Every structure is written in structure tokens, then in C-alpha cells.
Amino acid sequence: MVKQTIQIFARVKPTVRKQQQGIYSIDEDEKLTPSLEIILPRDLADGFVNNKRESYRFKFQRIFDQNEKQETIFENIAKPVAESVLAGYNGTIFAYGQTGSGKTFTITGGAERYSDRGIIPRTLSYIFEQLQKDSSKIYTTHISYLEIYNECGYDLLDPRHEASSLEDLPKVTVLEDPDQNIHLKNLSLHQATTEEEALNLLFLGDTNRMIAETPMNQASTRSHCIFTIHLSSKEPGSATVRQAKLHLVDLAGSERVAKTGVGGQLLTEAKYINLSLHYLEQVIIALSEKHRSHIPYRNSMMTSVLRDSLGGNCMTTMIATLSLEKRNIDESISTCRFAQRVALIKNEAVLNEEIDPRLMIIRLQKEIQELKDELAIVTGEQRTEALTEAELLQLEKRITSFLEDQHPESKLEVGADMRKIHHCFHYLKKLLNDKNIHGTSIASSEIKDQNSQEPLKEEEYKKLRDILQQRDNEINILVTMLKKEKKKAQDALHFSSMDRSELRRSQSSPFPPGNPEGPRMLPPSAPTQAPDSSTSQYRSSLLHGKTGMREEMSLGRQEAFEIFKRDHADSVTIEDNKQILKQRFSEAKALGESINEARTKIGRLKEEITQRHVQQVALGISENTPVPSTPDLLEEKLRSQLQEEKRRYKAMFTHLKALKVEIEHLQLLMDKAKVKLQKEFEAWWAEEATSLQVNSPAVNSLNHMKPFPQTPESQHERSQLLSSKSAGGWEVPDQSPRRFVSCSDLYARKILPSPGSLLHSQEQSSPSSPLEDRIPERPVSSVPLTGDSQTDSDILAFVKARQSILQRTGFQ
Ligand code: ADP
Ligand code: MG
């Protein structure tokens, strides 16, 4: 057992504005427990006049400042936890902090660069690398991905995600067995045999999460996500299985409702997030206080799911993510306070070992056979399941003579055979029942009618008929049983030949195979088994399903989509990644060729060495001299060349493997970005359509058009224009309502003033600008207007252009 308090780390997100410096300082002098000091700005501290403190100091295991890389975070925080999971202990890493402080960035990673990948992909990579290295054990890895939103659990890997809306999917529910182990019903568990498969599952879940998100339900900030790696290991031949789970948790934003200032549905959500975080806090407080007997885990789904991670059998780590800007001071202080509480909690992690029930059955079957064999040796006869017909007849004869024997000390001897003893009892019971039914005792009738042949015959006949009936029944039962057994054997054959994945697919039982006894035998928190991950197929079908929308698009709509795509901010990322991907592909191709060359060279060197060897031996034989004991110089040279080539080959091979993972990751990033783009286009299109219906005169609709996130180049162009314009006294329109509403603005890109206003401004200010020719080319559908006062001719020109595109895109 390992007793350990929850480890707490702090990570400070890079600030956008440099003047925010001076708000905090990190004291690394205290080597063992560094501390973070948050200095309250003068205006917030009320000028030191009242009693408000001017600075707060918090201790952390380690504090990672703004420039720390994802790699460092993994090495220092996640790797030790992954190591203990590999050793058989449960582990949890959770990120806590306000929205935008970097929780998702830390846990999952950034959406743009490979180097930005977060704890989950790096941990998967590390775990699979270690599993490959260790051939002494058999490992199995499963993945589950749970989202908790408004106190409801959703399986992010549910294949039905594509077809159904979030609300229609079966909810994941928490079940508790008598031993207080938590089981999650409807949460699928997917086997991942390689890093790529596991990565696919992560992206699949993230994409599902993104798809389910609507403007009214920005799940990414309002829900909790728990990505779990279930690892089981076993030494070959041993019946002991080690089960360990690693939860990687991205909590909902910890900001308070008051600050979010929300209403309606959002308020319900905020209430739920805050409620569940409030319950988390209550659990933390209860755990950090000594002698508290009741811990209110059951108050919320999240605390129930994380029960083991908090004050239980788990090694837990918390990352407090901080966005240390002036406006976030309050939230940052409350995040740090929360962390200080968490640091007081002690967990007791134990090795999760249990006996594999399937192996136990095999072991017991073997033992039974051995005992049977021993018994056969002692009794001198082979035991079968049932008594033979001859044995039964003999036994019944003995019973009859025993019953007939009037001697008070007569005995029924059947030997130490339970089958015979049982049969005697059955037979006697049957006789007794017969006697009760017919109201006559066989024995007494025999005595009474000793001299009368007829009634005796009648009795005999009846008895025989009954026995016959009995036999018939028995035979029927046996035939039925036999049939069942035969079917079972056939099923078993079929079963073993069936593909494992198919087998799981067909299983609707909530218990894993080999666990027929249900929850009692389940490993703690074992969720439902689910289809094996032929994940890439699964992913591609999902992505196809999502992007397949285009197949049904009208030509006009497709055209609009192309334009939307071209001008979308993310297209830069997609394009960048496409370039990197291309580069990686050619690198991989070149590397593959070099590897092949190296392989050929190795083969050739080996061949040369063998030939040289044969030559030496042949020379020795022909000249009748022994083979020289000192190695031949040429052979030595060849050998060192071979070694060198092998080293090179290995290095290249490792590099190629890493490249493969990177390529896979980049492809997944791109797939995800494409789905996001498609989703945003659909939303934008739908909104345009509604605004068209509501405001039929085109002029009215102008103010309702929403811009979409646009490429940095176009932003850049415009910002240049803007700066030239503002110099001339032109006002920058208010940007806030122009944000694309359905976009979660993951990349925090700023949407600059719309080209409509720029077109206008440009005409006024610098008609000879080189951009002039390019702007009119911009599609009208992407030219939202500012609503600023414009000249009639401008409006008319715009309306004309807009109508033409609407005609082309099929709206008019
Ligand atoms: P949260 O999940 O806490 O709401 P995110 O992880 O989504 O926050 O971060 C918000 C934005 O800040 C994202 O665009 C993310 O890429 C960026 N970000 C967060 N942390 C870092 C970091 N350490 N380095 C660079 N960018 C970061
Ligand atoms: Mg997030």
C-alpha cells in the first residue's frame, strides 16, 4: 500500500499582454516546496487602506511558469503517474481552473501543432512504449471517454453519436455494488492494441464532443471530461491479474456564476457546473478534515465517478491552471485556495490484484479430474457422471430385497458412492409417493394377498407400467439435456472461432466475459464492454458521416462552402498542417528508402562475412593449416561496418516509428478541424437562411449577417487597411457582436471588422491600394456589413452582389 497526499502543481498560462507582469512571482528558493505569490494590484486591494491583503502566497509541489513546454509538463507531472499505473496502481490527473486557463491545452493539447500535444497523447505514447518493452507480462489496454454535462453522463465513444443527438443517447449512470465499488452503466470500453488506436479513440471522443456542442451548450467549458486508460497485466500462466486505471480529467471551468452573468439555459448549466464543482469542493473539505466519517460522494455524478481518486485507492495529482491577468485575480486566488485544500487529502493506493475467474475455473476443473483419477485408483473402478443401466438395475434389486427383508438388522449396502446413495433415496421416495397415490402399500398388499395370484399380477403390472413411465420421462429428460449439451458444445466451437470483436459486439451483458456472476466479480468501476476498436474505420465512418453532408449539397451551397472554407481562420491551420504532413510523408518515404537500403547493405555485409569465413576455412583445408585464431583484418572491418549499419538501421527505424505517430496525430488534427469547419459552415448557412426568411428585404438582412472566422491574411490585410484608415479618423466599429456565435473560438482568434466596412473605407481613403483589386473578388456571402452609416450607392452595390450570390447558391 502506498500512502500519499494528492500532489498539487500549478501551471501559469502565457499572458497576452506583457504589462500583466508584476501580478505574481514564483519563489523557487524554497527548493522543496516552491511558492506562488499573487500580488493584488493597488486598485483591487483598495489602496492598502482597508483590511484587504495585498498579496497571497500558495505552496505547490512545483510551479510551471508561462514558458514551460508540454514536454516538461508531461515529464514532471504525468510520467510518474503513468509509471505507477504500469506498476498496478490507480492514478488520476485532473486539471482545475477557470475557463480559458489552459485545462484542455494541458490535458489534451492544442489543436494546431504536434508539439502542443498534451498529457493524454503523451501518456498513451509512453504507456504503449513501455508495454512493448516489457515482454514478461501480457497487457491489455482499454479506453473509455466519459463526459458529464448537467449531471448526466454521456459516452463520447458511443458509436450511435453520429446518428443521434446527445439527448437521445443512453445516459451513463452510476451503479454501486454492496462493496461500494462504482460501476458505470452504458459506458463503453474499447480495446486499444496500439498507440494509434488509442489516439484515434481520443480524437473520436473529442470530435463527438465538438459535434454535440451548440452555441447554447458550449460543452467544452461547461462539462467535465474523463478519459480513462484501463490497463490489465498478467504473467503468462499465472491466474493473478493486475488491473489499474488512469483517469485524465478535464474539469468544467471553475468560474463563479455571478461573474458569468448568465440567464436561461446557461444559468441552469452554470448552476450544474457550479453545483458539481461545489460538491467536489465539499468532498475535498470533508476529506481534508480529520475524523469526518461521512464523505458526500453521492451528491454528484462527478464525485461518484472520482470516488476512488479522492481519498481512496488512487495516486492523484491536481494541476491548477492559472490565467494570471488582472481581471482573473479573484478566480486565480480561489483556484489556488482550492488546491491548498486538495493537498491535505491522503490517499491509500493498493495494488489491484485479483484472480482471473476463467483461469480459476480451468484450475478447479483440473483439480476435479485429478481427484477423480485418484478415486478411480482407490476404488478400482472408473467413475462416470451417471450410473450405468446395469448398475441401476442391480441397485434397485438390492433395494427391493432390503425392503422385503423382515430382519430388523438388515442393511442396504451400496458402498461409498454418492451417486448410488442418491439413487437409493430417489427410488425410495418414488416408492413412497406411489404408495400414497394409490393408497396401497406394496409390502402390505404382498402380505395380504400372498396366496392370490391375480391381484399380485395386477400390482406387478402397475408397478412395471409406472417404472416404464418413469424411464420414459427420464429418457426424455436425458435426451433434452443431451440436445442442450450438444448445442452448448457447438456454440462453444462457434464462440471460439468467432472474431473477438464480433463477440463483444453481440454481447449486451453489462459484465465482461468470464464474469458470469455479475457485479460482485467485476473489477471496481469496470464499465460495459464494447466493440473492439477498429477505430480508424469507426473514425473514418464518423468523419465521412459528418463531412458526407457535402454530398447532398446543392451546387450553390457547395460553392459557398468552398468560399467559406477558403476564408475561414482555421484554413490556415489546416493548410499549415497539410504542408507539414506532406513534408513528413516525404520524410517518411525517404527514411523508408534509406531503411531498405540499410537492410540490403546489412544483408550484403553478412553475406560478405560468411563468404570471407568460408574462404578462410577453405584456404586452411587446402593448405592444411589450421584456421588462424586471430581474426582476419578484413573480416573485422566488415563486422564493424555491419555493426555500424545495424545501429543506423535501428536509429532510422525508431525515427520512422516516431514519424508514423506524428503523421497519425496530424491527420487526426486535420480531420477534427475539417469537421469543425463543416459544422460551423452548417450553422452559418442555417443562420443566413433564417435571417433571409425573417428579413426578406435584402437591405434589412444586411445587419443580420454574421461574419465567420477569417484567415489571418485577410485579417492582416484589413488590419493594415484599418490602421491607415484610423489615421484618417475613421472609427473602428464595435467588434464584439460580430463574433461568430456558433464557434467556440477555440483558437481565440480575433475577428476583425468586416470587409464590407473595409471596402467602404478603402474607397474613401486609398483607392489606389494594391488590395483594391482583390477585395471585390471576395464573395459577397462572406461580406457582412458593419451597420455603420453607408452611402446608398454602397448599399445598392452590395445588395446587388449579394443577390447574385444568393441566386447562385440556391436561396432565391
Ligand atoms: P480551458 O480548457 O481551461 O478553458 P484552454 O485549454 O481551452 O482553456 O485554453 C484557452 C486558450 O489558451 C487556447 O487557445 C489554448 O490553446 C491557449 N493556451 C492555454 N494554455 C496554453 C499554454 N500553456 N501555452 C500556449 N497556449 C495556451
Ligand atoms: Mg477546456
Side-chain angles (χ1 to χ4, degrees), residues 11-14 65-68 70 96-107 109-113 116 220-221 250-251 253 321 745-749:
R11 183 184 201 185
V12 185
K13 185 191 143 180
D65 209 353
Q66 300 190 23
N67 298 324
E68 296 282 14
Q70 295 282 60
Y96 181 98
Q98 70 184 109
T99 297
S101 59
K103 296 181 296 297
T104 306
F105 186 85
T106 303
I107 297 289
E112 293 178 21
R113 279 175 298 271
D116 279 350
S220 57
T221 62
D250 185 354
L251 290 176
T321 54
D745 206 3
L746 265 175
Y747 311 108
R749 288 184 197 278

Side-chain angles (χ1 to χ4, degrees), residues 22 64 372 416 508 562 681 770 777:
F64 298 92
K372 273 184 182 170
S508 57
E562 290 307 320
F681 171 72
E777 275 174 26

Side-chain angles (χ1 to χ4, degrees), residues 342-356:
V342 168
L344 300 174
I345 300 171
K346 228 183 212 140
N347 279 351
E348 290 180 359
V350 289
L351 271 183
N352 306 299
E353 285 185 330
E354 60 176 50
I355 306 291
D356 183 345

Side-chain angles (χ1 to χ4, degrees), residues 112 117 134 153 249 272 295 365 380 433 492 530 660 718 794 805:
E112 293 178 21
R117 66 202 194 286
D134 183 6
V249 189
Y272 271 120
I295 311 293
Q365 277 172 340
N433 284 345
K660 210 180 134 209
R718 283 159 214 161
D794 275 336
I805 196 153

